[in-house]
């Protein structure tokens, strides 16, 4: 399919103990022969001298050759495992760039070829990008689950159900006079479509859990000025993220830090102290604090132990996304029924992280099953559901038009995995990969 051969450094930053240069394309065999002489047996690592015609010996390293289509990309592929010095890697890359038909790979080039050669579907390619970008254990688990093809299998089964439903309807339309075609298959079809629609609604609801896993569980700290929000943020982050002073209103804007809490990405946001003020800048900060609280998965309302009204705190006002926490518990009374924390002594910090972790886990109840992991998936699934709803509910429409709605529903599912035309999406999706993948 491709006329050019691509190459790239596929390992980490240089210098390093070992560097891996990956090649893929129709000229891999000839390129290897110019570098290392005879081709090594497929899928066997062989120690070879790597030479350039004009520069002599460049390095010694392991060479692996993968004969297409039994390779990652489906083409002839090779890997050079060499010493990770900048000069060594640069010399080999420079030599490859001057070979006829070779070019440096762009971001996602290898995975794009794997997709176009049928080695993986589009959702699997996206899952691979998520696996590379995973920062937490939960992100890794979700990505590895989807690289196994579970999404492809699920959406493929739903698409088959839709195609079968269309076949029944079109058989009724085209062969109504035939004895072996039931005259009322439509009723059975619509019952199946109602069941599929219910399944889709439940599945789409799982996107909220996937969004939390990929983007992070958002925790917002609110409270009056000098309630200890910035100090708590620094204590949780274990570094100086926010400026802390005794002057009320120090924080004017949102300050965020990303944490790994029990294997889950958690984004904690410090906000401006909430109070009435005539200061224009501080007033903007208060407005942003309210906005952040509305968008948060969990709001932690800090009430300092030295506050005059600490005894009037009512933790019963807590709800699913808001809890009251007594801060500065080392200098005053603790509000009854609240969790007490101190950024100075560290008291209560682990317990607070446990609370955040349990609240996040409750939000991920659907994450153990196959769920839509990207907004693109959710959008196509929602469009698919809309088409099914129209087909099921609009019994005033001709049967041909209702069948057309089912065809469009199946196409939306196909666009998730790449079984229908998705050429306009490929550049966006594969640009997310790093060079060499």
């Amino acid at each position: 399919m491709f006329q050019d051969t691509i190459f790239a450094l596929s390992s980490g930053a240089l210098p390093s103990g070992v560097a891996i240069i990956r090649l893929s394309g129709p000229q891999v065999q000839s390129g290897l022969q110019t570098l290392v002489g005879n081709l090594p047996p497929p899928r066997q690592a062989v120690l070879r001298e790597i030479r350039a015609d004009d520069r002599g010996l460049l390095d010694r390293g392991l060479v692996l050759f993968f004969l297409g289509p039994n390779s990652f990309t489906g083409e002839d592929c090779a890997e050079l495992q060499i010493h990770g010095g900048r000069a060594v890697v640069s010399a080999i890359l420079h030599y490859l760039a001057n070979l006829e038909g070779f070019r440096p790979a762009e971001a996602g080039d290898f995975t794009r070829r794997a997709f176009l050669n049928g080695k993986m579907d589009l959702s699997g390619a996206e899952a691979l990008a998520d696996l590379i970008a995973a920062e937490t254990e939960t992100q890794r688990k979700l990505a590895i689950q989807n690289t196994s093809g579970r999404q492809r299998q699920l959406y493929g089964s739903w698409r088959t159900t839709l195609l079968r439903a269309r076949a029944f309807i079109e058989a009724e339309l085209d062969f109504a006079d035939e004895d072996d075609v039931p005259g009322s298959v439509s009723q059975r079809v619509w019952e199946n479509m109602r069941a599929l629609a219910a399944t889709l609604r439940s599945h789409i609801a799982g996107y909220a859990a996937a969004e939390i896993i990929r983007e992070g569980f958002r925790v917002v700290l609110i409270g009056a000025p000098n309630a200890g929000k910035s100090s708590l943020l620094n204590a949780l982050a274990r570094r100086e993220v926010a400026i802390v002073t005794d002057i009320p209103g120090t924080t004017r804007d949102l300050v965020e830090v990303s944490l790994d809490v029990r294997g889950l990405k958690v984004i904690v946001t410090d906000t401006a102290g909430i109070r009435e003020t005539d200061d224009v800048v501080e007033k903007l900060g208060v407005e942003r604090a309210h906005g952040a609280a509305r968008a948060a998965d969990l709001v932690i309302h800090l009430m300092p132990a030295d506050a005059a009204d600490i005894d009037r705190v009512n933790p019963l006002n807590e709800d699913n996304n808001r809890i009251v926490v007594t801060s500065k518990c080392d200098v005053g009374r603790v509000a009854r029924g609240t969790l007490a924390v101190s950024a100075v002594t560290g008291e209560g910090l682990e317990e607070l992280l446990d609370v955040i972790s349990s609240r996040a886990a409750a939000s991920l109840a659907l994450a153990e099953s196959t769920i839509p992991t990207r907004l693109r998936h959710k959008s196509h699934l929602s469009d698919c559901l809309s088409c099914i709803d129209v087909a099921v509910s609009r019994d005033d429409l001709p049967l041909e038009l209702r069948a057309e709605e089912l065809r469009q529903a199946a196409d939306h599912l196909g666009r998730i995995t790449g079984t229908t035309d998705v050429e306009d999406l490929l550049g966006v999706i594969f640009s997310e990969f790093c060079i060499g993948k």
Side-chain angles (χ1 to χ4, degrees):
M1 179 183 293
F2 296 96
Q3 300 301 315
D4 54 352
T5 297
I6 55 175
F7 64 91
L9 175 67
S10 292
S11 50
L14 303 175
S16 60
V18 176
I20 300 175
I21 295 177
R22 171 182 280 181
L23 305 88
S24 178
Q27 289 86 26
V28 163
Q29 295 191 35
S30 61
L32 273 185
Q33 288 171 341
T34 63
L35 277 171
V36 303
N38 295 332
L39 287 175
R43 311 181 77 83
Q44 293 185 27
V46 177
L47 180 63
R48 290 287 176 83
E49 290 186 344
I50 301 171
R51 293 180 173 274
D53 296 334
D54 57 340
R55 301 183 63 178
L57 180 65
L58 300 178
D59 195 16
R60 294 181 180 88
L62 293 179
V63 180
L64 292 97
F65 171 64
F66 303 89
L67 184 64
N70 299 316
S71 67
F72 174 73
T73 63
E75 305 175 312
D76 286 351
C77 288
E79 287 185 1
L80 305 176
Q81 299 184 10
I82 57 177
H83 295 97
R86 290 190 176 91
V88 173
V89 173
S90 177
I92 295 176
L93 293 179
H94 179 77
Y95 180 78
L96 289 171
N98 287 307
L99 292 178
E100 183 71 25
F102 280 70
R103 69 167 177 84
E106 298 178 358
D109 255 355
F110 290 93
T111 309
R112 180 170 183 153
R113 292 191 177 200
F115 165 71
L116 293 174
N117 288 327
K119 304 299 288 187
M120 66 174 64
D121 68 287
L122 206 53
S123 61
E126 289 173 318
L128 185 57
D130 289 340
L131 184 61
I132 294 170
E135 299 175 325
T136 67
E137 179 64 8
T138 310
Q139 290 175 334
R140 182 196 66 79
K141 285 182 177 179
L142 180 64
I144 205 73
Q145 171 181 293
N146 289 330
T147 56
S148 66
R150 288 176 60 174
Q151 282 182 319
R152 180 187 70 248
Q153 294 166 7
L154 180 63
Y155 300 151
S157 68
W158 290 347
R159 190 164 182 262
T160 298
T161 299
L162 286 165
L163 295 176
R164 185 178 293 117
R166 281 185 57 213
F168 274 116
I169 292 174
E170 290 173 5
E172 183 170 309
L173 287 170
D174 296 339
F175 307 105
D177 297 332
E178 300 292 333
D179 294 336
D180 58 347
V181 177
S184 59
V185 296
S186 296
Q187 186 58 37
R188 181 173 52 179
V189 165
W190 303 132
E191 290 174 359
N192 291 340
M193 290 301 97
R194 290 186 187 95
L196 178 57
T199 301
L200 275 166
R201 285 190 179 89
S202 176
H203 181 74
I204 292 170
Y207 174 73
E211 189 174 31
I212 288 174
I213 293 174
R214 295 184 73 246
E215 304 299 331
F217 184 77
R218 292 200 163 269
V219 177
V220 173
L221 309 177
I222 66 169
N226 274 3
K229 301 182 296 299
S230 298
S231 297
L232 178 59
L233 181 72
N234 291 342
L236 292 174
R238 302 179 187 274
R239 58 190 174 91
E240 296 297 317
V241 178
I243 297 174
V244 176
T245 72
D246 293 330
I247 304 172
T250 302
T251 302
R252 300 295 185 93
D253 207 346
L254 304 180
V255 180
E256 290 187 347
V257 63
S258 180
L259 307 177
D260 184 339
V261 179
R262 315 294 190 257
L264 178 69
K265 183 177 180 180
V266 174
I267 300 173
V268 183
T269 303
D270 181 21
T271 63
I274 296 177
R275 65 175 176 178
E276 295 293 330
T277 177
D278 294 327
D279 186 297
V280 175
V281 177
E282 188 177 359
K283 186 178 293 186
L284 288 173
V286 173
E287 292 175 358
R288 291 188 178 185
H290 285 299
R294 286 191 295 270
D297 298 304
L298 176 64
V299 175
I300 298 178
H301 188 167
L302 294 185
M303 176 62 70
D306 57 357
D309 57 347
I310 188 65
D311 292 327
R312 294 199 295 273
V313 173
N314 182 9
L316 296 179
N317 290 331
E318 296 179 357
D319 53 36
N320 288 334
N321 73 331
R322 177 182 174 275
I323 60 173
V324 179
V325 171
T326 300
S327 59
K328 304 182 182 180
C329 68
D330 54 308
V331 297
R333 299 184 305 279
V334 176
R336 185 179 65 258
T338 65
L339 175 64
V341 299
S342 169
V344 175
T345 67
E347 180 182 345
L349 293 184
E350 287 301 317
E351 290 80 358
L352 179 58
L353 289 174
D354 286 338
V355 170
I356 294 172
S357 176
S358 62
R359 292 297 184 101
S363 300
L364 302 180
L366 295 174
E368 295 300 320
S369 59
T370 303
I371 55 178
T373 52
R374 297 196 172 214
L375 183 59
R376 184 182 75 83
H377 302 173
K378 181 188 177 186
S379 176
H380 284 304
L381 289 165
S382 297
D383 289 341
C384 173
L385 178 59
S386 296
C387 291
I388 295 175
D389 283 340
V390 170
V392 170
S393 62
R394 292 293 304 276
D395 51 11
D396 59 314
L397 291 176
L399 203 52
E400 295 92 329
L401 295 183
R402 299 173 76 183
E404 172 62 17
E405 292 291 340
L406 297 185
R407 184 195 67 78
Q408 293 184 26
D411 282 351
H412 283 298
L413 287 178
R415 289 178 70 84
I416 297 176
T417 58
T419 54
T420 57
D421 181 34
V422 290
E423 184 63 31
D424 55 330
L425 289 172
L426 297 187
V428 175
I429 291 172
F430 292 108
S431 66
E432 298 179 6
F433 285 83
C434 53
I435 299 294
K437 190 58 181 175

